[in-house]
Amino acid sequence: CSVFSTSGYHNGMDCVSDAALADLKRDIQLWSRELGFDAIGVSEAELGEAGPALQRWLGRGWHGEMNFMARHADERTDPQLLVPSVFRIISVRLNYWRETACSADTVLGNPRKAYIARYALGRDYHRPMRRKLQRLADLITESIGSFVYRAFVDSAPVMEKPLGQKAGIGWMGKHTNLIHPVDGSWFFLGELYTDLPLPVDQPHVDHCGSCTRCAEECPTNALDTPYQLDARLCIAYLTIEHKSSIPEALRPMIGNRIFGCD
């Protein structure tokens, strides 16, 4: 009982040693790097204060026309409603910063050009990243046998940013995105919900301190409340999710941004 059975994984692995679980986690970390992920962490399948915070945000109406945020709030705040047997969540980061892209200031300063958020300049990330997560699950299966899992890449009501902070791959900044002291916020997030009793990582510590640069840079004042985003003022929301006319008062602030905001 000190190692995994090759005949398949079964939940309730009381007989599997902590050392075997630690070895499996190290293997998962190695495989994730080989697959191209830039960071990986493991968290428990519960969200703590993030759930009530979401309900308060919805109660203010700051989600605007994104009715799906309220419609699937329960699944967001309780991972077991998506995967009933989930026990641990593996969170991954995939960086998308491109050194070859034109500087934001250059494009934003040219009224003859249209600005597109940097994450959308390359190939759509959803399917390639989903395939990487599936391959990671396949490698785990090859190692220990079958287990319960489900992969998510912006494809279901998952609170990926709070989960990422709990998994130690970044912290929730005052701009409401996950941020890392070296890589900033220039990365995609994905999750593998599993029933594996893996050792968890320590949550990432908040390093925002007294910094307010994100709020100062936001042209529409969507970030005036630290750690809260008023989507009704958010350029990314207005140019992507908002289906009706953009309020005239906000149009000069948006400038030549036509898709998203970095």
Side-chain angles (χ1 to χ4, degrees):
C1 274
S2 62
V3 295
F4 290 94
S5 169
T6 57
S7 63
Y9 169 81
H10 299 283
N11 203 359
M13 299 180 63
D14 294 335
C15 63
V16 177
S17 70
D18 291 343
L21 290 168
D23 287 343
L24 175 60
K25 182 178 177 180
R26 282 192 289 271
D27 287 340
I28 292 172
Q29 291 168 330
L30 174 62
W31 296 329
S32 71
R33 290 194 294 270
E34 292 175 344
L35 287 167
F37 291 122
D38 295 286
I40 185 171
V42 179
S43 70
E44 297 173 341
E46 60 87 27
L47 285 150
E49 174 57 23
L54 173 64
Q55 294 296 341
R56 290 193 296 270
W57 182 75
L58 291 169
R60 296 189 187 103
W62 284 10
H63 57 300
E65 295 179 358
M66 294 185 291
N67 295 324
F68 60 87
M69 293 294 297
R71 188 164 57 247
H72 299 294
D74 290 343
E75 288 92 340
R76 294 181 193 282
T77 57
D78 185 357
Q80 290 190 341
L81 293 179
L82 280 178
V83 180
S85 58
V86 63
F87 191 66
R88 295 287 189 259
I89 296 175
I90 300 172
S91 293
V92 296
R93 273 183 20 213
L94 184 64
N95 294 356
Y96 63 77
W97 175 263
R98 292 168 174 263
E99 294 290 350
T100 56
C102 293
S103 73
D105 289 340
T106 298
V107 180
L108 290 170
N110 187 343
R112 298 181 63 85
K113 289 185 176 291
Y115 185 83
I116 297 174
R118 192 174 294 260
Y119 80 85
L121 294 179
R123 182 183 181 186
D124 183 273
Y125 71 94
H126 294 85
R127 288 185 179 179
M129 194 168 178
R130 176 66 173 74
R131 284 195 290 268
K132 288 178 184 291
L133 279 172
Q134 180 60 56
R135 180 54 184 155
L136 180 60
D138 291 342
L139 289 168
I140 297 172
T141 300
E142 291 170 12
S143 175
I144 67 170
S146 61
F147 69 104
V148 176
Y149 70 89
R150 187 173 172 187
F152 300 105
V153 181
D154 191 31
S155 55
V158 174
M159 295 191 75
E160 57 186 11
K161 293 180 288 185
L163 288 172
Q165 177 163 339
K166 285 177 63 69
I169 63 174
W171 79 92
M172 287 281 289
K174 290 180 181 177
H175 62 345
T176 74
N177 282 326
L178 207 67
I179 186 170
H180 184 268
V182 174
D183 298 321
S185 295
W186 308 97
F187 47 77
F188 302 119
L189 298 172
E191 299 76 36
L192 199 64
Y193 280 35
T194 81
D195 64 347
L196 300 173
L198 297 168
V200 299
D201 290 288
Q202 289 297 313
H204 207 297
V205 176
D206 188 319
H207 291 287
C208 282
S210 61
C211 178
T212 57
R213 289 176 60 188
C214 58
E216 293 164 5
E217 287 293 326
C218 179
T220 56
N221 302 314
L223 297 170
D224 280 1
T225 303
Y227 304 102
Q228 296 288 317
L229 170 70
D230 188 343
R232 299 168 301 177
L233 300 174
C234 175
I235 293 173
Y237 164 77
L238 291 168
T239 58
I240 300 173
E241 299 289 351
H242 187 63
K243 305 307 179 185
S244 51
S245 298
I246 295 174
E248 291 188 21
L250 296 176
R251 295 178 192 178
M253 305 173 192
I254 294 174
N256 60 348
R257 297 174 177 87
I258 65 168
F259 192 92
C261 178
D262 293 322

